[in-house]
Amino acid sequence: MTVESGPARAGALVIVGAGIQLGRHVAERALSEIRAADRVFAMLDPFALDWLRSLRPDCENLARFYAAGRDRRETYRDMERVLVEAVRAGERTCAVFYGHPGVFADVPHGAIRAVRALGLPARMEPGISAEACLYADLGLDPGERGVISMEATQFLVHERRPDPTMLLVLWQVALAGDLALKEFSADPDRLRVLVAKLAETYAPDTETILYEAAQLPVQRFRADRMPLAALPEAEYREFTTLVIPACAGPEPDDEWLERLGADRSALE
């Protein structure tokens, strides 16, 4: 007697965010997806990875693809590949990423696009990002005067100009100017180039903030304030963020106020 097997089970991908602070920022939806998955992959800091292994001892660490001197773009493609292969094999796949998995994270977006191109389901569950922590910790409201937010190398090598009436946030500032994508530490010479570009808009004594969100409940966030000119000699980690608060308020645009049937008194 021959028993015919049923149709092959279709795989699926869900990518979830673990937030910034270990244990405190993980949403119930993310926990549910982690528990229900056939395979779980992780790109987390060591503390968060240990926590995840307490839930899923079988989780697979994507950090194994990193290697000294290796182009990070190659590393990212390998990470995408293993996620897509798991889905193609018919497995319900969950990948857990630090912070918000869609913010400054190339792999989640690439993997989701690749899985959807196969006609298979893929989606993302948000997490608390470093940006969300930044606004809370520093007491800054992006809605007050607006915000310019971008990766530091993108700011440095493209025709980008800050607006001193708006908040400026530059991410991964320690790696600014690393076009080979092989470094993980700050280079004072490249930072001097970044400061030179910023000095076209800001005075050397403009107050800046080097920010790092707290990763553990017992830690305090970093908010080191220093003049712009001192940045090349400061201490950095890979995830240090440069913040320059708005230096002045924007001037009202009388033409557009007039079109609205209002004047400057409406803004007081």
Side-chain angles (χ1 to χ4, degrees), residues 104 148-152 154-156 160 168-171:
F104 288 94
I148 299 172
S149 176
M150 72 183 75
E151 195 268 339
Q154 183 190 99
F155 168 79
L156 184 57
R160 305 287 195 180
L168 177 66
V169 181
L170 295 182
W171 302 94

Side-chain angles (χ1 to χ4, degrees), residues 151-154 156-157 172-181 183 187 190-191 193-194:
E151 195 268 339
T153 296
Q154 183 190 99
L156 184 57
V157 303
Q172 299 176 334
V173 68
L175 307 181
D178 173 27
L179 301 181
L181 297 182
E183 300 295 329
D187 181 325
R190 290 200 303 262
L191 286 168
V193 176
L194 175 64

Side-chain angles (χ1 to χ4, degrees), residues 133-205:
C133 294
L134 182 153
Y135 295 139
D137 291 337
L138 301 184
L140 297 171
D141 181 356
E144 183 178 0
R145 293 183 180 175
V147 59
I148 299 172
S149 176
M150 72 183 75
E151 195 268 339
T153 296
Q154 183 190 99
F155 168 79
L156 184 57
V157 303
H158 292 94
E159 292 186 5
R160 305 287 195 180
R161 293 291 180 270
D163 180 342
T165 69
M166 299 172 67
L167 172 67
L168 177 66
V169 181
L170 295 182
W171 302 94
Q172 299 176 334
V173 68
L175 307 181
D178 173 27
L179 301 181
L181 297 182
K182 294 182 178 180
E183 300 295 329
F184 291 92
S185 58
D187 181 325
D189 290 335
R190 290 200 303 262
L191 286 168
R192 290 187 186 95
V193 176
L194 175 64
V195 168
K197 183 167 184 178
L198 290 167
E200 294 178 354
T201 301
Y202 301 98
D205 61 351

Side-chain angles (χ1 to χ4, degrees), residues 1-5:
M1 178 178 177
T2 301
V3 178
E4 294 185 4
S5 61

